[in-house]
Each structure stands twice: as structure tokens, then as C-alpha cells.
Amino acid sequence: MQTELSKKLGVEHAIFGFTPFPAVAAAISRAGGFGVLGAVRYTAPDDLKRDLDWIEAHVDGRPYGLDVVMPAKKVEGVTEADVEGMIPEGHREFVKDTLAKYGVPELAEGEASGWRITGWMERVARTQLDVAFDYPIKLLANALGSPPADVVERAHEQDVLVAALAGSARHAVKHKERGIDIVVAQGYEAGGHTGDIASMVLTPEVVEAVDPLPVLAAGGIGSGQQVAAALSLGAQGVWLGSIWLTTTEADLHSPALIRKLLAAGSGDTVRSRALTGKPARQLRTEWTDAWDDTNGPGTLPMPLQGLLVAEAVSRIQKYEVEPLLGTPVGQIVGRMNSERSVQAVFDDLTRGFERAVDRINRIAGRSGE
């Protein structure tokens, strides 16, 4: 599964794995892919440094990258307290009432919520970059489109390639104009923030729009046959995220959530603004249903929604309140039926890819060449 891009980055397989878990990122790189650590949850620079130290010690000298979340346009002088003050009291009451309805316990006195939306704020992302550029990362990806021009320039000065996610050909062209090196064409099926266009349509549109820039296909990919399909559409690799959530190296800390993921079918996800204020695909739960109900107050725009629900999400996760318990995940969740190691996932991907290529060769009359 080698392409021009995978050869450039020195990886055996053109499989790029995005994950919030350092152990998964390192295992992806060791398996011959390209591990990418999601940095959004690191609000303390020392925590990111600790985990990058760990990855550096466990990738066996293989390349890896970092994914940050920062807007292309800078907003000056806005603090978390400023944003908190914009949240309507009615929305706070809705959260309080919904948690009470399901008997969700309070956090212990003095215990802070484990997930905050501050990682979406540019000043936090820049502290992450100050740490990351001290490490030999080979790729910097941005989940909110093109990062600011000075960040792209800084990455290029350190021979770090820059990737940006796009949900349409129009967005992809803007990335190309801003000096991005790799476009990740993320289809509607993907977990997390997505656009409205499915991968089968989006991938070739983006490939054509940004040629000769390399494109990675993302969304709904979890088998070797799907990898082969993505490469046949012109992509130079695939960007996989959801498939790693049920690997043995992942650190979800929630047996109940793992059970829900393993039991879910491909129709058990929904694009909802409940988590961050922007449409993000996640497990459908009674929490997402409550926010999407027309009788409710409706969600707030980013980053207000994320700040509003941060403590609630932490409480739901800590106490494993199953009706409300969810996570961002793509439609590929229907294939995630057992806990496997990262290496086992790679073995399945490579075998499936070989079967797909053999099948196409037979159809094309090239069997045995």
C-alpha cells in the first residue's frame, strides 16, 4: 500500500491514523502506518510534552505527526471567561434539568471537568505547537481547515508537511491557495466534524480540484477493500480515526462506552451540534436526541456549546450513564465488532487490500501479472 506520499514520509503503508491516544499513535507508526496524535485535549503544555516523549520512545524511530484545532482567522483578546459570559441562563438550566432527569451525579467537590473546549482556542493551540516543534514530527494537521499563514510558514521552515481537512472541493482549493501540502477529503460518513458530501463523491472531486497536491481520503473507511477504493479514486492514502477507538491500545476508561461501540450499527450515529456547536458525527444517544429536539432550546454556536456541556459530558462519562453516554465516531462503527490490537487492524487492512487488488486484476484480465 505504497504511494508517492507514503514513500516521501518513509512509511510502509499509506494509512494515516488519527487518535487522541499516544499508545495508539505509536502502534500505528510501528505497524507501518503514520500515527497522528490529536492535541485538542492538551490544555497544559507539560502534558503534551510528556506524551510526545512517550511516543518518541515507542515508535522505534518511525515517523509520526500531530493534529491541532485552530481557526485560520485570529480573534484577539477573547478569554474563556468572556466566552462563558455569553452562555444564556436558559441553556444552563436545560443542561441541569437533563442531567437531573437521568440521575447523573455531581462531580466531587473541587474536581474539574476532564474535558474542556479550550483546546479549540488559538492561544492554546499555539502553546501546543511551541511544544510540538521541539520534536521530530513530520506532519502537522489542522481539523478546522488551513491554519494561520505564520503557522504554515513555521512548519515548512522545519520541514514539516501541513495537512488540512476539507469537506468540499471549494474548501480544498482554498487550502491549496494557502500553501497546504496535503488535503484530507473528509466525507459525510466520518466521525467528528463533517460536511454534507459523501466520500465516494468528495474524494475524486478534491483530487481533481487540487492536483497535483496529494489527497487523503477520510470517512467511512475501515477495510482494505475501502482503502483500495480510495486509492482508485485518486487518493494517495487514507485518514482513519474511528476504527482505532476499539483497539486494545486505546484508553477509553469506559467499559460501558466500549460495549456501546461494539454493539452499534452503521445507522446508530447522528450528525449533531450537541457536543461543540458545529455538526459532528457521534453515537446517537438520549443526550443528542435532547439537544436535537425542536422543543428544546437548541444548541449554541462554537465555542459556546462546548463550554456549556463540558462538565456535563465529564459527569456522563465518569459515571457511565449509558442512555446519555456517547462519543464522536463515524458510520464505520458498524464494522467495529470486537476489540483488536492496532497490529491486528493493520493485518486485516492489508489482507483486504490485497484481495481487492487481486479481484480487480482478475476483472481486468491481469491475473498472474
Side-chain angles (χ1 to χ4, degrees), residues 89-174:
E89 189 58 35
H91 282 72
R92 296 187 188 277
E93 288 298 319
F94 180 76
V95 170
K96 181 179 178 181
D97 292 345
T98 303
L99 295 178
K101 176 181 176 181
Y102 291 91
V104 182
E106 298 275 356
L107 295 176
E109 185 175 352
E111 182 180 359
S113 61
W115 178 81
R116 297 292 286 173
I117 203 65
T118 49
W120 297 89
M121 301 178 74
E122 183 184 349
R123 63 177 176 79
V124 177
R126 286 185 178 275
T127 64
Q128 295 165 351
L129 294 178
D130 288 339
V131 172
F133 283 132
D134 286 336
Y135 292 81
I137 61 171
K138 298 299 182 185
L139 176 71
L140 174 68
N142 187 32
L144 277 186
S146 304
D150 68 294
V151 172
V152 176
E153 181 179 357
R154 183 179 178 187
H156 288 166
E157 287 174 352
Q158 297 192 208
D159 293 323
V160 175
L161 297 180
V162 181
L165 275 65
S168 71
R170 177 172 57 86
H171 292 154
V173 169
K174 290 182 178 179

Side-chain angles (χ1 to χ4, degrees), residues 273-289:
R273 298 177 184 269
L275 187 61
T276 68
K278 290 176 70 69
R281 185 170 297 285
Q282 54 203 281
L283 279 180
R284 182 175 181 176
T285 66
E286 293 183 33
W287 177 256
T288 61
D289 286 348

Side-chain angles (χ1 to χ4, degrees), residues 30 68 124 131 175 197 247 268 317 320 334 344 354:
R30 289 198 308 271
V68 297
V124 177
V131 172
H175 296 337
I197 306 173
T247 57
D268 293 328
Q317 291 175 344
E320 296 190 299
E354 290 170 356

Side-chain angles (χ1 to χ4, degrees), residues 84 107 113-117 275 287 304-315 317:
E84 286 269 13
L107 295 176
S113 61
W115 178 81
R116 297 292 286 173
I117 203 65
L275 187 61
W287 177 256
L304 301 183
Q305 182 71 15
L307 283 170
L308 170 65
V309 304
E311 182 180 319
V313 170
S314 291
R315 288 165 61 185
Q317 291 175 344

